[in-house]
Amino acid sequence: MNIGLTGGIACGKSTVSRMLVSRGALLIDADQIARDVVEPGSPVLEQVAAHFGQAVIGPDGSLQRKKLGEIIFGSPEARKQLDGLLHPPIRAKMREQMTLYERDFPTKLVVVDVPLLIESNLVSMFEEIMVVYIPRHLQLERLMQRDGLSAENAQLRLDAQMSIEEKRKLADIVIDNSGTLEETNMRVELFWVGKGLA
């Protein structure tokens, strides 16, 4: 059994994934995979450098994310090209890990944490989609607190993403994280028991 876990920025996705793991779920972290596929010397990193220039590779052979960010910032075309290089190997690795976990641990829940799961059209990869939800005003508040941003900057970040209300509508499971940690933990427990995993 697998679920795709997603949410919006500062909604508490990592908190919920830790709660699921503490109950015995197996976690696959798409962000970690995204870092792994561009490790120094990897074929994917070489493709990125061939496409965007050697300036994106640091003296130690690692990807200079800031440099790459400057190149693709404000250029939807360049971002699309980068996604075209990165997404296929990331998805392949995710599928590979899911298959291994499902084969080796057939009774465990496999949770795949993907920040842009819905935006990247990955819904069909999973049996169910879990969205960690908090209302937008709270999202704004938590983002400002977490990253030390002004209201204006936090607002821009939220506007650049698909709205959490939209994601909520597309979810099979919604975990409301707007209350205390205890309340969120209780909601995760209800989900866990409801799935017959306890």
Side-chain angles (χ1 to χ4, degrees), residues 175-196:
I175 299 288
D176 187 324
N177 187 34
S178 53
T180 64
L181 273 178
E182 289 70 32
E183 288 168 334
T184 300
N185 198 35
M186 197 179 71
R187 291 185 180 107
V188 171
E189 182 64 20
L190 284 173
F191 157 76
W192 194 259
V193 172
K195 277 281 177 230

Side-chain angles (χ1 to χ4, degrees), residues 97-115:
Q97 263 190 296
M98 282 167 72
T99 304
L100 284 175
Y101 277 162
E102 286 167 356
R103 188 196 68 201
D104 296 345
F105 307 98
T107 59
K108 293 223 183 234
L109 174 68
V110 178
V111 176
V112 189
D113 179 340
V114 190

Side-chain angles (χ1 to χ4, degrees), residues 42-130:
S42 70
V44 178
L45 184 58
E46 284 168 23
Q47 288 176 328
V48 171
H51 194 93
F52 293 98
Q54 286 301 320
V56 300
I57 307 290
D60 61 351
S62 69
L63 177 63
Q64 300 297 295
R65 285 186 165 71
K66 204 172 171 209
K67 196 88 189 135
L68 184 60
E70 288 163 11
I71 295 171
I72 65 167
F73 184 75
S75 167
E77 192 46 46
R79 174 171 287 285
K80 218 163 127 182
Q81 291 165 343
L82 181 65
D83 288 348
L85 293 172
L86 298 181
H87 286 178
I90 291 170
R91 286 174 192 180
K93 197 101 182 109
M94 271 166 41
R95 279 200 184 90
E96 187 186 312
Q97 263 190 296
M98 282 167 72
T99 304
L100 284 175
Y101 277 162
E102 286 167 356
R103 188 196 68 201
D104 296 345
F105 307 98
T107 59
K108 293 223 183 234
L109 174 68
V110 178
V111 176
V112 189
D113 179 340
V114 190
L116 300 176
L117 189 154
I118 296 168
E119 297 88 328
S120 304
N121 296 321
L122 297 178
V123 172
S124 62
M125 268 179 79
F126 306 101
E127 289 166 30
E128 289 186 308
I129 302 302
M130 177 185 277

Side-chain angles (χ1 to χ4, degrees), residues 10-29:
C11 282
K13 202 165 41 62
S14 310
T15 303
V16 171
S17 71
R18 277 195 297 275
M19 289 173 177
L20 290 165
V21 168
S22 74
R23 286 169 168 78
L26 299 168
L27 181 68
I28 298 170
D29 181 347

